[in-house]
Amino acid sequence: MSYKCISLDEAQPLLDDPETVIVDIRDKGSYEDGNIPRSINISQKNIDHFLENTDRDKNLLVYCYVGNSSKGASDYFVQKGFKTVFSLDGGYKEFARKE
């Protein structure tokens, strides 16, 4: 099983679903400057806690700056047992442009 790259339009139903786990893998400063609502900023400091406490059966939407780093992170989450993982094409830059 692997992750799927999706556009912002394709991601909208996931963003609208309160059950979707949204992960921001950008640095803390960028996250604090702006983020997708309900997203969790993941770093080396809190990744273990996230993995221990997150339901792997829920949809997981991963984003970064422009959609490159999120692919590697999505692959990582699939390897860690998450069943339905999506990488947001265009990342936060695309989300902010459409807001």
Side-chain angles (χ1 to χ4, degrees):
M1 181 179 271
S2 68
Y3 67 94
K4 180 179 180 191
C5 293
I6 59 173
S7 69
L8 184 57
D9 287 343
E10 291 172 304
Q12 199 58 56
L14 294 167
L15 295 171
D16 292 340
D17 180 355
E19 291 293 303
T20 301
V21 179
I22 306 169
V23 172
D24 183 320
I25 62 164
R26 300 174 304 149
D27 66 87
K28 186 175 169 64
S30 296
Y31 178 79
E32 289 173 351
D33 286 343
N35 57 71
I36 294 177
R38 296 187 300 103
S39 62
I40 304 163
N41 188 216
I42 297 292
S43 68
Q44 292 299 330
K45 293 179 181 173
N46 65 356
I47 186 72
D48 291 336
H49 181 266
F50 176 80
L51 291 172
E52 289 167 15
N53 296 287
T54 305
D55 184 347
R56 284 166 167 72
D57 291 327
K58 290 189 175 183
N59 289 329
L60 186 69
L61 178 63
V62 183
Y63 73 95
C64 59
Y65 297 97
V66 295
N68 293 327
S69 300
S70 59
K71 293 174 185 172
S74 294
D75 190 49
Y76 173 81
F77 287 120
V78 168
Q79 291 175 22
K80 291 296 182 182
F82 286 86
K83 294 181 176 47
T84 314
V85 181
F86 302 94
S87 175
L88 182 61
D89 286 338
Y92 183 73
K93 185 177 181 184
E94 182 68 11
F95 176 83
R97 195 174 68 79
K98 295 249 175 122
E99 258 197 332

